[in-house]
Amino acid sequence: MSAAGNLLERDEPPPVEMAGREGRSPFVVICDHAGRRLPRALGDLGVPEAALATHIAWDIGAGGVAERLATALDAYLARQRYSRLVIDCNRPLDAVDSIATRSERTFIPANQNLDPAAARQRAREIFEPYHHEIRSELDRRKASNRLSFLVAVHSFTPVYLDVARPWHIGVLFNRDARLAQPLLRLLREEGDLVVGCNEPYAVSDLSDFSVVHHGERRGIPHVEIEIRQDLIGDEAGQNIWAECLARLLPAAAQSLQSVPG
């Protein structure tokens, strides 16, 4: 810990990177697992560097897609810089994997038997500031009577526990499919994509925080997007998918009869 008893030292970046606050778009783009930074005070969590470069630590390519998508849409963007191995910003704080002790086949030594006070500190300095910024932006837009559509960008591995995943992209939702269903239809009309509906994951109150808390509970149309990591591992792939989504998301939103969130 720092001399002041904080997890993050003064010269370490804050957990959330923001852009596009003055944008005219109704879209709010967020990326919960954009970065793989570790607070200096936590060292390497006992995990080899080679493993920290993989999907267990972050959503490879998702941050780049989110940034390019927000730019193309002239949208607000919030990207979370720190690794989900520190604390997962898309899990409720009381979820068993809010601070993972194991990711796929990799054990996270520093997260085993974590002191509750240390867990609360991670939440206070990383989870809470990130979601505070998103909440503040949505509050500001509501006060201005602005329409909002929330888009959460994630990525998934081509193979998980030795099982291949055929989808190129997944469209995820829980109870509210107002934005997800038209986007799903438009993606399938592209003709050359394998599109998952709540695949390879499905949104739920127990497994997801961001779109449930900021979208569903506020009544804001929203969608969680998962793109396969081998398709967005470089800038060229990120550009292709950002351009695709920047074309289809406004068309999906146009089909809605929405009210400001």
Side-chain angles (χ1 to χ4, degrees):
M1 297 299 153
S2 69
N6 297 324
L7 176 63
L8 299 179
E9 298 183 7
R10 289 186 177 182
D11 63 341
E12 293 185 280
V16 57
E17 176 186 7
M18 295 168 291
R21 177 151 280 173
E22 302 308 316
R24 294 168 294 176
S25 173
F27 289 97
V28 171
V29 180
I30 64 173
C31 189
D32 302 321
H33 306 139
R36 65 183 189 98
R37 293 186 67 96
L38 298 176
R40 195 175 300 129
L42 299 182
D44 60 10
L45 296 173
V47 179
E49 174 57 31
L52 291 173
T54 72
H55 67 279
I56 72 166
W58 61 324
D59 276 0
I60 295 169
V65 173
E67 180 180 31
R68 289 163 173 78
L69 176 61
T71 298
L73 292 173
D74 192 22
Y76 172 84
L77 170 68
R79 297 192 298 178
Q80 205 285 116
R81 290 183 166 109
Y82 287 89
S83 172
R84 61 165 151 241
L85 297 180
V86 179
I87 189 166
D88 194 323
C89 286
N90 192 35
R91 293 288 184 273
L93 290 175
D94 58 358
V96 294
D97 55 351
S98 168
I99 298 177
T101 56
R102 175 176 175 167
S103 181
E104 199 166 345
R105 294 188 173 101
T106 302
F107 285 91
I108 318 302
N111 291 350
Q112 308 294 323
N113 302 310
L114 189 66
D115 183 88
R120 287 193 297 270
Q121 185 171 47
R122 296 188 193 187
R124 186 169 61 250
E125 295 194 37
I126 295 177
F127 182 97
E128 291 172 5
Y130 172 65
H131 288 291
H132 172 77
E133 291 295 343
I134 298 169
R135 193 177 301 114
S136 295
E137 172 64 15
L138 293 173
D139 287 345
R140 185 179 71 87
R141 296 166 71 93
K142 181 178 180 180
S144 300
N145 202 38
R146 289 184 62 184
L147 184 67
S148 294
F149 300 100
L150 180 67
V151 179
V153 180
H154 292 258
S155 69
F156 66 95
T157 58
V159 177
Y160 182 73
L161 294 176
D162 302 323
V163 178
R165 290 160 152 178
W167 310 281
H168 298 112
I169 186 170
V171 176
L172 280 55
F173 56 92
N174 190 19
R175 302 173 187 88
D176 182 350
R178 285 177 294 165
L179 184 58
Q181 287 290 3
L183 178 62
L184 186 68
R185 174 179 54 81
L186 290 168
L187 282 165
R188 286 176 170 167
E189 288 174 358
E190 294 287 287
D192 57 350
L193 297 177
V194 180
V195 184
C197 177
N198 278 327
E199 296 284 2
Y201 305 107
V203 174
S204 75
D205 294 342
L206 299 179
S207 63
D208 294 76
F209 183 86
S210 294
V211 296
V212 172
H213 180 80
H214 298 298
E216 189 172 280
R217 293 180 184 171
R218 295 180 72 118
I220 294 173
H222 57 275
V223 63
E224 186 171 323
I225 295 168
E226 291 270 359
I227 307 171
R228 210 173 67 203
Q229 289 174 359
D230 59 316
L231 304 177
I232 54 174
D234 57 23
E235 291 186 2
Q238 293 164 21
N239 285 331
I240 288 169
W241 280 95
E243 290 169 4
C244 174
L245 292 170
R247 174 169 52 86
L248 298 183
L249 277 165
Q254 271 189 338
S255 68
L256 307 183
Q257 297 296 318
S258 304
V259 296

